Amino acid sequence: MCMHPRAMSAMSFSPTLLVTTASVSPAQASKYVPLGRTSLQVSRIGVGTLQWGDPGSGFGTSYGEPELSIAFQELLKGGINFIDTAEVYGYQGIKNGTSSEQLIGKFAKEHTEGAPIIATKFFTIPWTNFLVGGGLRIGRKSLLDALRASLKRLGRKRVDLYQIHFPFPTLSNAALMESLKEAVELGLTTAVGVSNYSKKQMEEADDLLASYGVPLASNQVCFNLLQRDPDKNGLLTSCKERNISLIAYSPLCSGRLTDKALLKIDSKSAKVALSYLIAKGAIPIPGCKNEYQAKSHCELMDQSLTMEEVQMLEEAASYI
């Protein structure tokens, strides 16, 4: 879990230094990086769409489809091409055409400023059909059925990255990886990845896919300045050694790294927190619900932190 606000307020590092670090020239930072060992080139920062279409997150009250459409357009204009979703994001709106996947599908057709690289996920719980429809998820075929349903909602014949949302006992790693291999062979996805996999689980998945000649492109896990388990438990190192992209969800620790009162720095604290992850070699996917957030994320395409500044941030965070 993220740290309690009272604990976080103990951080006492210089506001001026942290705010001015993320300001290097475009020549000093590559705007796009390969997605693992695939040919896909993704922006160094992506966007997560967990809240898109979700009434519990304010969809339909504090923001809606018009705001998200403008945000999507601004993301593409600003160079961010990596959009992450999942079949269960905003599932409440599937019947109305406003689930996260359906919204992304609409926006991709409406805005042609760039070609988005879209990633979605397979929810491994057997009774997911109660949320998104379809049959009970038993056996390898259920993954392919779910992928075809996601493609229909996205309005695409192929997705760029298809991920296992998390490991679950009813489907073995071997069965899941064989299904991902089949998805590639059938042309339903360009690349495959996992999410919420431990170092051991990821390495097993990578080895299983390698036996089919299919690279494991990514592992999406919780990673931020206050939750650095992937860096401490060897997962990040293994990703680098195996050339697997680490996609960082919850990069702002559920908003706690954006609060001026907590980090003792100004409104640029979120940019510093995201720049930290980029410097560590991860691809952060913060949320984005409006034009302002989209433009703010796009500014990070030309910014970076030095290793000295990264170490300073980690040292400060270690006192919490």
Side-chain angles (χ1 to χ4, degrees), residues 23-317:
S23 58
V24 301
S25 67
Q28 293 176 273
S30 173
K31 293 185 178 183
Y32 299 92
V33 295
L35 187 66
R37 303 188 298 278
T38 75
S39 59
L40 295 173
Q41 293 287 317
V42 299
S43 47
R44 63 208 302 258
I45 176 174
V47 161
T49 62
L50 171 65
Q51 299 172 325
W52 290 22
D54 179 19
S57 299
F59 181 80
T61 53
S62 60
Y63 67 97
E65 188 170 333
E67 290 83 2
L68 294 179
S69 178
I70 293 173
F72 188 89
Q73 181 179 28
E74 289 298 327
L75 290 169
L76 295 184
K77 284 172 60 178
I80 291 180
N81 69 352
F82 186 47
I83 312 293
D84 180 77
T85 184
E87 59 177 335
V88 295
Y89 291 175
Y91 70 89
Q92 303 93 329
I94 287 179
K95 292 183 179 179
N96 300 323
T98 57
S99 72
S100 178
E101 288 182 328
Q102 290 166 319
L103 289 170
I104 291 171
K106 290 180 186 178
F107 301 156
K109 291 178 180 178
E110 294 171 356
H111 306 299
T112 58
E113 292 82 1
I117 292 178
I118 298 174
T120 192
K121 308 181 197 73
F122 170 70
F123 211 65
T124 48
I125 294 178
W127 48 90
T128 303
N129 58 306
F130 290 110
L131 302 180
V132 300
L136 194 66
R137 300 196 166 178
I138 300 175
R140 294 188 294 107
K141 184 177 179 293
S142 61
L143 181 145
L144 297 176
D145 291 340
L147 175 50
R148 289 188 175 99
S150 283
L151 291 173
K152 184 176 180 179
R153 288 188 289 268
L154 288 164
R156 296 166 64 102
K157 294 182 179 180
R158 175 188 300 176
V159 73
D160 297 298
L161 174 65
Y162 197 53
Q163 306 155 95
I164 304 300
H165 209 138
F166 48 81
F168 198 75
T170 55
L171 287 169
S172 69
N173 219 1
L176 289 170
M177 295 310 113
E178 187 172 356
S179 292
L180 289 181
K181 180 264 297 185
E182 291 178 13
V184 172
E185 292 176 342
L186 291 170
L188 302 177
T189 184
T190 300
V192 295
V194 295
S195 182
N196 297 300
Y197 269 47
S198 68
K199 176 177 178 290
K200 181 179 180 180
Q201 290 168 331
M202 180 192 73
E203 291 175 347
E204 180 188 26
D206 188 32
D207 292 341
L208 287 167
L209 286 171
S211 68
Y212 300 124
V214 176
L216 179 66
S218 59
N219 186 6
Q220 184 177 148
V221 296
C222 180
F223 185 26
N224 57 60
L225 183 58
L226 299 178
Q227 296 169 301
R228 291 183 286 141
D229 285 350
D231 195 18
K232 297 177 180 180
N233 61 22
L235 178 62
L236 180 60
T237 298
S238 181
C239 282
K240 292 179 178 179
E241 292 174 348
R242 289 173 174 255
N243 199 3
I244 299 170
S245 291
L246 190 148
I247 302 171
Y249 71 77
S250 194
L252 298 176
C253 197
S254 301
R256 289 173 173 81
L257 286 168
T258 64
D259 193 330
K260 179 179 178 180
L262 298 181
L263 282 184
K264 303 283 186 174
I265 59 180
D266 73 5
S267 59
K268 294 183 179 179
S269 58
K271 292 183 179 179
V272 174
L274 294 173
S275 294
Y276 165 79
L277 292 171
I278 294 172
K280 294 293 290 186
I283 302 172
I285 50 169
C288 182
K289 296 188 290 187
N290 54 54
E291 180 181 8
Y292 172 80
Q293 290 176 338
K295 289 182 176 179
S296 178
H297 294 337
C298 289
E299 290 175 3
L300 288 175
M301 294 287 285
D302 294 327
Q303 299 175 348
S304 184
L305 296 176
T306 67
M307 284 299 101
E308 181 181 0
E309 291 157 350
V310 167
Q311 292 172 3
M312 179 187 66
L313 283 166
E314 292 179 339
E315 182 177 353

